[in-house]
mmCIF file of all heavy atoms in Angstrom:
data_model
loop_
_atom_site.group_PDB
_atom_site.id
_atom_site.type_symbol
_atom_site.label_atom_id
_atom_site.label_comp_id
_atom_site.label_asym_id
_atom_site.label_seq_id
_atom_site.Cartn_x
_atom_site.Cartn_y
_atom_site.Cartn_z
ATOM 1 N N LEU A 1 9.732 56.184 -33.795
ATOM 2 C CA LEU A 1 9.913 57.320 -34.688
ATOM 3 C C LEU A 1 8.696 57.555 -35.572
ATOM 4 O O LEU A 1 8.535 58.626 -36.141
ATOM 5 C CB LEU A 1 11.161 57.111 -35.543
ATOM 6 C CG LEU A 1 12.476 57.197 -34.762
ATOM 7 C CD1 LEU A 1 13.657 56.794 -35.608
ATOM 8 C CD2 LEU A 1 12.682 58.619 -34.254
ATOM 9 N N GLY A 2 7.843 56.534 -35.668
ATOM 10 C CA GLY A 2 6.591 56.721 -36.393
ATOM 11 C C GLY A 2 5.735 57.822 -35.789
ATOM 12 O O GLY A 2 4.985 58.500 -36.495
ATOM 13 N N THR A 3 5.845 58.009 -34.461
ATOM 14 C CA THR A 3 5.082 59.083 -33.824
ATOM 15 C C THR A 3 5.560 60.454 -34.303
ATOM 16 O O THR A 3 4.790 61.408 -34.325
ATOM 17 C CB THR A 3 5.179 59.001 -32.295
ATOM 18 O OG1 THR A 3 6.556 59.089 -31.878
ATOM 19 C CG2 THR A 3 4.600 57.683 -31.790
ATOM 20 N N LEU A 4 6.844 60.554 -34.673
ATOM 21 C CA LEU A 4 7.346 61.811 -35.218
ATOM 22 C C LEU A 4 6.696 62.108 -36.567
ATOM 23 O O LEU A 4 6.329 63.248 -36.856
ATOM 24 C CB LEU A 4 8.865 61.747 -35.359
ATOM 25 C CG LEU A 4 9.570 62.995 -35.917
ATOM 26 C CD1 LEU A 4 9.261 64.220 -35.061
ATOM 27 C CD2 LEU A 4 11.082 62.764 -35.985
ATOM 28 N N LEU A 5 6.519 61.077 -37.384
ATOM 29 C CA LEU A 5 5.820 61.262 -38.653
ATOM 30 C C LEU A 5 4.372 61.701 -38.421
ATOM 31 O O LEU A 5 3.844 62.545 -39.141
ATOM 32 C CB LEU A 5 5.845 59.974 -39.471
ATOM 33 C CG LEU A 5 7.209 59.456 -39.922
ATOM 34 C CD1 LEU A 5 7.045 58.228 -40.813
ATOM 35 C CD2 LEU A 5 7.978 60.541 -40.644
ATOM 36 N N GLU A 6 3.749 61.128 -37.417
ATOM 37 C CA GLU A 6 2.367 61.507 -37.112
ATOM 38 C C GLU A 6 2.277 62.965 -36.659
ATOM 39 O O GLU A 6 1.324 63.670 -36.990
ATOM 40 C CB GLU A 6 1.798 60.584 -36.039
ATOM 41 C CG GLU A 6 1.582 59.150 -36.522
ATOM 42 C CD GLU A 6 0.730 58.342 -35.570
ATOM 43 O OE1 GLU A 6 0.097 58.951 -34.690
ATOM 44 O OE2 GLU A 6 0.678 57.113 -35.709
ATOM 45 N N ILE A 7 3.261 63.409 -35.894
ATOM 46 C CA ILE A 7 3.281 64.802 -35.469
ATOM 47 C C ILE A 7 3.402 65.722 -36.678
ATOM 48 O O ILE A 7 2.748 66.765 -36.761
ATOM 49 C CB ILE A 7 4.419 65.040 -34.468
ATOM 50 C CG1 ILE A 7 4.059 64.433 -33.112
ATOM 51 C CG2 ILE A 7 4.723 66.528 -34.313
ATOM 52 C CD1 ILE A 7 5.175 64.425 -32.107
ATOM 53 N N MET A 8 4.215 65.310 -37.635
ATOM 54 C CA MET A 8 4.329 66.089 -38.869
ATOM 55 C C MET A 8 3.000 66.128 -39.609
ATOM 56 O O MET A 8 2.628 67.150 -40.193
ATOM 57 C CB MET A 8 5.417 65.492 -39.756
ATOM 58 C CG MET A 8 6.810 65.622 -39.168
ATOM 59 S SD MET A 8 7.996 64.580 -40.046
ATOM 60 C CE MET A 8 7.890 65.292 -41.684
ATOM 61 N N ALA A 9 2.262 65.022 -39.564
ATOM 62 C CA ALA A 9 0.942 64.994 -40.197
ATOM 63 C C ALA A 9 -0.014 65.963 -39.514
ATOM 64 O O ALA A 9 -0.850 66.595 -40.164
ATOM 65 C CB ALA A 9 0.382 63.572 -40.177
ATOM 66 N N LEU A 10 0.104 66.078 -38.173
ATOM 67 C CA LEU A 10 -0.699 67.061 -37.453
ATOM 68 C C LEU A 10 -0.342 68.476 -37.901
ATOM 69 O O LEU A 10 -1.221 69.325 -38.079
ATOM 70 C CB LEU A 10 -0.488 66.921 -35.943
ATOM 71 C CG LEU A 10 -1.050 65.669 -35.267
ATOM 72 C CD1 LEU A 10 -0.616 65.626 -33.799
ATOM 73 C CD2 LEU A 10 -2.573 65.628 -35.351
ATOM 74 N N ILE A 11 0.958 68.730 -38.074
ATOM 75 C CA ILE A 11 1.400 70.036 -38.560
ATOM 76 C C ILE A 11 0.822 70.312 -39.944
ATOM 77 O O ILE A 11 0.447 71.437 -40.268
ATOM 78 C CB ILE A 11 2.938 70.101 -38.615
ATOM 79 C CG1 ILE A 11 3.541 69.937 -37.221
ATOM 80 C CG2 ILE A 11 3.407 71.431 -39.217
ATOM 81 C CD1 ILE A 11 5.057 69.800 -37.225
ATOM 82 N N CYS A 12 0.708 69.258 -40.746
ATOM 83 C CA CYS A 12 0.178 69.388 -42.103
ATOM 84 C C CYS A 12 -1.339 69.534 -42.141
ATOM 85 O O CYS A 12 -1.915 69.801 -43.197
ATOM 86 C CB CYS A 12 0.571 68.175 -42.941
ATOM 87 S SG CYS A 12 2.339 68.043 -43.286
ATOM 88 N N GLY A 13 -1.983 69.333 -40.992
ATOM 89 C CA GLY A 13 -3.437 69.426 -40.962
ATOM 90 C C GLY A 13 -4.145 68.234 -41.569
ATOM 91 O O GLY A 13 -5.291 68.341 -42.019
ATOM 92 N N MET A 14 -3.497 67.054 -41.584
ATOM 93 C CA MET A 14 -4.127 65.857 -42.131
ATOM 94 C C MET A 14 -5.161 65.308 -41.158
ATOM 95 O O MET A 14 -4.893 65.215 -39.952
ATOM 96 C CB MET A 14 -3.068 64.797 -42.445
ATOM 97 C CG MET A 14 -2.190 65.174 -43.631
ATOM 98 S SD MET A 14 -0.904 63.950 -44.005
ATOM 99 C CE MET A 14 -1.876 62.488 -44.354
ATOM 100 N N PRO A 15 -6.346 64.936 -41.634
ATOM 101 C CA PRO A 15 -7.401 64.440 -40.748
ATOM 102 C C PRO A 15 -6.963 63.193 -39.983
ATOM 103 O O PRO A 15 -6.307 62.311 -40.546
ATOM 104 C CB PRO A 15 -8.544 64.108 -41.721
ATOM 105 C CG PRO A 15 -8.249 64.886 -42.964
ATOM 106 C CD PRO A 15 -6.771 64.994 -43.051
ATOM 107 N N VAL A 16 -7.338 63.131 -38.717
ATOM 108 C CA VAL A 16 -6.981 61.993 -37.881
ATOM 109 C C VAL A 16 -7.978 60.857 -38.032
ATOM 110 O O VAL A 16 -7.591 59.676 -37.994
ATOM 111 C CB VAL A 16 -6.885 62.425 -36.396
ATOM 112 C CG1 VAL A 16 -6.672 61.222 -35.488
ATOM 113 C CG2 VAL A 16 -5.752 63.426 -36.208
ATOM 114 N N CYS A 17 -9.253 61.179 -38.196
ATOM 115 C CA CYS A 17 -10.306 60.160 -38.218
ATOM 116 C C CYS A 17 -10.451 59.510 -39.589
ATOM 117 O O CYS A 17 -11.541 59.407 -40.155
ATOM 118 C CB CYS A 17 -11.639 60.765 -37.758
ATOM 119 S SG CYS A 17 -11.650 61.205 -36.001
ATOM 120 N N THR A 18 -9.323 59.056 -40.135
ATOM 121 C CA THR A 18 -9.264 58.353 -41.411
ATOM 122 C C THR A 18 -8.271 57.212 -41.273
ATOM 123 O O THR A 18 -7.241 57.366 -40.609
ATOM 124 C CB THR A 18 -8.817 59.302 -42.545
ATOM 125 O OG1 THR A 18 -9.773 60.364 -42.691
ATOM 126 C CG2 THR A 18 -8.685 58.572 -43.863
ATOM 127 N N GLN A 19 -8.557 56.081 -41.877
ATOM 128 C CA GLN A 19 -7.595 54.984 -41.903
ATOM 129 C C GLN A 19 -6.804 55.069 -43.197
ATOM 130 O O GLN A 19 -7.371 55.069 -44.286
ATOM 131 C CB GLN A 19 -8.294 53.632 -41.768
ATOM 132 C CG GLN A 19 -7.341 52.472 -41.526
ATOM 133 C CD GLN A 19 -8.042 51.195 -41.103
ATOM 134 O OE1 GLN A 19 -9.267 51.101 -41.189
ATOM 135 N NE2 GLN A 19 -7.298 50.203 -40.629
ATOM 136 N N TYR A 20 -5.476 55.143 -43.068
ATOM 137 C CA TYR A 20 -4.596 55.357 -44.216
ATOM 138 C C TYR A 20 -3.768 54.112 -44.517
ATOM 139 O O TYR A 20 -3.404 53.356 -43.604
ATOM 140 C CB TYR A 20 -3.599 56.495 -43.939
ATOM 141 C CG TYR A 20 -4.190 57.858 -43.692
ATOM 142 C CD1 TYR A 20 -4.517 58.261 -42.402
ATOM 143 C CD2 TYR A 20 -4.381 58.765 -44.722
ATOM 144 C CE1 TYR A 20 -5.033 59.530 -42.161
ATOM 145 C CE2 TYR A 20 -4.889 60.040 -44.496
ATOM 146 C CZ TYR A 20 -5.214 60.418 -43.202
ATOM 147 O OH TYR A 20 -5.717 61.673 -42.949
ATOM 148 N N HIS A 21 -3.431 53.925 -45.768
ATOM 149 C CA HIS A 21 -2.306 53.072 -46.117
ATOM 150 C C HIS A 21 -1.036 53.890 -45.896
ATOM 151 O O HIS A 21 -0.981 55.067 -46.268
ATOM 152 C CB HIS A 21 -2.403 52.589 -47.560
ATOM 153 C CG HIS A 21 -3.396 51.476 -47.741
ATOM 154 N ND1 HIS A 21 -3.205 50.212 -47.203
ATOM 155 C CD2 HIS A 21 -4.580 51.440 -48.393
ATOM 156 C CE1 HIS A 21 -4.241 49.447 -47.513
ATOM 157 N NE2 HIS A 21 -5.090 50.154 -48.219
ATOM 158 N N PHE A 22 -0.034 53.278 -45.289
ATOM 159 C CA PHE A 22 1.123 54.031 -44.819
ATOM 160 C C PHE A 22 1.837 54.766 -45.956
ATOM 161 O O PHE A 22 2.229 55.930 -45.805
ATOM 162 C CB PHE A 22 2.099 53.091 -44.102
ATOM 163 C CG PHE A 22 3.266 53.799 -43.477
ATOM 164 C CD1 PHE A 22 3.089 54.595 -42.363
ATOM 165 C CD2 PHE A 22 4.539 53.670 -44.015
ATOM 166 C CE1 PHE A 22 4.165 55.261 -41.775
ATOM 167 C CE2 PHE A 22 5.622 54.324 -43.438
ATOM 168 C CZ PHE A 22 5.438 55.120 -42.322
ATOM 169 N N GLY A 23 2.016 54.107 -47.078
ATOM 170 C CA GLY A 23 2.684 54.756 -48.201
ATOM 171 C C GLY A 23 1.924 55.974 -48.689
ATOM 172 O O GLY A 23 2.508 57.019 -48.979
ATOM 173 N N ASP A 24 0.611 55.861 -48.788
ATOM 174 C CA ASP A 24 -0.229 56.983 -49.211
ATOM 175 C C ASP A 24 -0.177 58.103 -48.188
ATOM 176 O O ASP A 24 -0.150 59.288 -48.540
ATOM 177 C CB ASP A 24 -1.665 56.503 -49.420
ATOM 178 C CG ASP A 24 -2.577 57.600 -49.941
ATOM 179 O OD1 ASP A 24 -2.241 58.220 -50.957
ATOM 180 O OD2 ASP A 24 -3.642 57.818 -49.328
ATOM 181 N N PHE A 25 -0.166 57.731 -46.897
ATOM 182 C CA PHE A 25 -0.065 58.694 -45.813
ATOM 183 C C PHE A 25 1.196 59.539 -45.964
ATOM 184 O O PHE A 25 1.153 60.774 -45.881
ATOM 185 C CB PHE A 25 -0.064 57.926 -44.486
ATOM 186 C CG PHE A 25 0.217 58.736 -43.254
ATOM 187 C CD1 PHE A 25 -0.779 59.493 -42.665
ATOM 188 C CD2 PHE A 25 1.474 58.710 -42.670
ATOM 189 C CE1 PHE A 25 -0.529 60.215 -41.505
ATOM 190 C CE2 PHE A 25 1.730 59.430 -41.513
ATOM 191 C CZ PHE A 25 0.733 60.189 -40.933
ATOM 192 N N CYS A 26 2.333 58.894 -46.204
ATOM 193 C CA CYS A 26 3.592 59.608 -46.346
ATOM 194 C C CYS A 26 3.610 60.484 -47.595
ATOM 195 O O CYS A 26 4.098 61.618 -47.570
ATOM 196 C CB CYS A 26 4.753 58.616 -46.387
ATOM 197 S SG CYS A 26 5.012 57.709 -44.835
ATOM 198 N N ALA A 27 3.058 59.969 -48.682
ATOM 199 C CA ALA A 27 3.026 60.742 -49.921
ATOM 200 C C ALA A 27 2.199 62.009 -49.770
ATOM 201 O O ALA A 27 2.587 63.088 -50.226
ATOM 202 C CB ALA A 27 2.476 59.878 -51.058
ATOM 203 N N ARG A 28 1.039 61.887 -49.121
ATOM 204 C CA ARG A 28 0.189 63.062 -48.897
ATOM 205 C C ARG A 28 0.902 64.088 -48.021
ATOM 206 O O ARG A 28 0.808 65.293 -48.245
ATOM 207 C CB ARG A 28 -1.117 62.648 -48.241
ATOM 208 C CG ARG A 28 -2.038 61.802 -49.104
ATOM 209 C CD ARG A 28 -3.386 61.625 -48.420
ATOM 210 N NE ARG A 28 -4.180 60.581 -49.008
ATOM 211 C CZ ARG A 28 -5.436 60.332 -48.659
ATOM 212 N NH1 ARG A 28 -6.025 61.067 -47.738
ATOM 213 N NH2 ARG A 28 -6.102 59.349 -49.244
ATOM 214 N N MET A 29 1.600 63.581 -47.020
ATOM 215 C CA MET A 29 2.296 64.479 -46.098
ATOM 216 C C MET A 29 3.406 65.248 -46.821
ATOM 217 O O MET A 29 3.537 66.462 -46.651
ATOM 218 C CB MET A 29 2.866 63.662 -44.940
ATOM 219 C CG MET A 29 3.391 64.509 -43.821
ATOM 220 S SD MET A 29 3.622 63.613 -42.269
ATOM 221 C CE MET A 29 3.975 61.956 -42.765
ATOM 222 N N ILE A 30 4.200 64.555 -47.621
ATOM 223 C CA ILE A 30 5.257 65.201 -48.383
ATOM 224 C C ILE A 30 4.680 66.264 -49.301
ATOM 225 O O ILE A 30 5.210 67.373 -49.421
ATOM 226 C CB ILE A 30 6.054 64.169 -49.200
ATOM 227 C CG1 ILE A 30 6.880 63.274 -48.285
ATOM 228 C CG2 ILE A 30 6.942 64.861 -50.231
ATOM 229 C CD1 ILE A 30 8.069 63.930 -47.669
ATOM 230 N N ASP A 31 3.581 65.951 -49.958
ATOM 231 C CA ASP A 31 2.942 66.899 -50.865
ATOM 232 C C ASP A 31 2.515 68.154 -50.116
ATOM 233 O O ASP A 31 2.688 69.274 -50.612
ATOM 234 C CB ASP A 31 1.750 66.243 -51.548
ATOM 235 C CG ASP A 31 1.144 67.114 -52.629
ATOM 236 O OD1 ASP A 31 1.856 67.463 -53.570
ATOM 237 O OD2 ASP A 31 -0.044 67.452 -52.516
ATOM 238 N N ARG A 32 1.935 67.965 -48.928
ATOM 239 C CA ARG A 32 1.513 69.117 -48.141
ATOM 240 C C ARG A 32 2.702 69.937 -47.653
ATOM 241 O O ARG A 32 2.646 71.177 -47.618
ATOM 242 C CB ARG A 32 0.658 68.673 -46.967
ATOM 243 C CG ARG A 32 -0.734 68.192 -47.366
ATOM 244 C CD ARG A 32 -1.516 67.666 -46.192
ATOM 245 N NE ARG A 32 -2.860 67.280 -46.588
ATOM 246 C CZ ARG A 32 -3.974 67.840 -46.144
ATOM 247 N NH1 ARG A 32 -3.911 68.831 -45.268
ATOM 248 N NH2 ARG A 32 -5.160 67.427 -46.564
ATOM 249 N N MET A 33 3.782 69.283 -47.292
ATOM 250 C CA MET A 33 4.952 69.994 -46.797
ATOM 251 C C MET A 33 5.603 70.870 -47.865
ATOM 252 O O MET A 33 6.205 71.897 -47.563
ATOM 253 C CB MET A 33 5.975 69.003 -46.251
ATOM 254 C CG MET A 33 5.604 68.474 -44.881
ATOM 255 S SD MET A 33 6.910 67.500 -44.184
ATOM 256 C CE MET A 33 6.169 66.013 -44.008
ATOM 257 N N LYS A 34 5.459 70.468 -49.118
ATOM 258 C CA LYS A 34 6.011 71.269 -50.207
ATOM 259 C C LYS A 34 5.358 72.642 -50.295
ATOM 260 O O LYS A 34 5.894 73.542 -50.944
ATOM 261 C CB LYS A 34 5.853 70.518 -51.530
ATOM 262 C CG LYS A 34 6.729 69.275 -51.641
ATOM 263 C CD LYS A 34 6.466 68.537 -52.938
ATOM 264 C CE LYS A 34 7.335 67.293 -53.054
ATOM 265 N NZ LYS A 34 7.046 66.533 -54.313
ATOM 266 N N HIS A 35 4.202 72.795 -49.641
ATOM 267 C CA HIS A 35 3.474 74.059 -49.673
ATOM 268 C C HIS A 35 3.580 74.820 -48.346
ATOM 269 O O HIS A 35 2.869 75.801 -48.138
ATOM 270 C CB HIS A 35 2.009 73.821 -50.026
ATOM 271 C CG HIS A 35 1.802 73.173 -51.366
ATOM 272 N ND1 HIS A 35 1.681 73.894 -52.529
ATOM 273 C CD2 HIS A 35 1.728 71.872 -51.719
ATOM 274 C CE1 HIS A 35 1.526 73.055 -53.550
ATOM 275 N NE2 HIS A 35 1.543 71.818 -53.088
ATOM 276 N N PHE A 36 4.481 74.373 -47.475
ATOM 277 C CA PHE A 36 4.641 75.018 -46.174
ATOM 278 C C PHE A 36 4.995 76.491 -46.295
ATOM 279 O O PHE A 36 4.603 77.307 -45.470
ATOM 280 C CB PHE A 36 5.722 74.305 -45.360
ATOM 281 C CG PHE A 36 5.192 73.212 -44.480
ATOM 282 C CD1 PHE A 36 3.912 72.717 -44.649
ATOM 283 C CD2 PHE A 36 5.981 72.674 -43.477
ATOM 284 C CE1 PHE A 36 3.430 71.704 -43.836
ATOM 285 C CE2 PHE A 36 5.509 71.663 -42.664
ATOM 286 C CZ PHE A 36 4.236 71.177 -42.845
#
């Protein structure tokens, strides 16, 4: 199901060529989704 989160990150336009801490990754994604 982690791949589903990654797909959402692609929808959010989050850069792929970055190494993330998972918690920060999710927080950034939620923030971006609030502006959908």
Side-chain angles (χ1 to χ4, degrees):
L1 290 172
T3 59
L4 180 57
L5 297 184
E6 291 193 14
I7 286 171
M8 293 167 61
L10 291 174
I11 298 172
C12 293
M14 290 179 60
V16 173
C17 291
T18 298
Q19 191 168 12
Y20 298 90
H21 283 293
F22 185 71
D24 183 53
F25 172 80
C26 294
R28 293 188 194 187
M29 190 163 29
I30 291 287
D31 187 59
R32 288 176 177 243
M33 283 188 241
K34 291 177 180 178
H35 300 272
F36 268 14

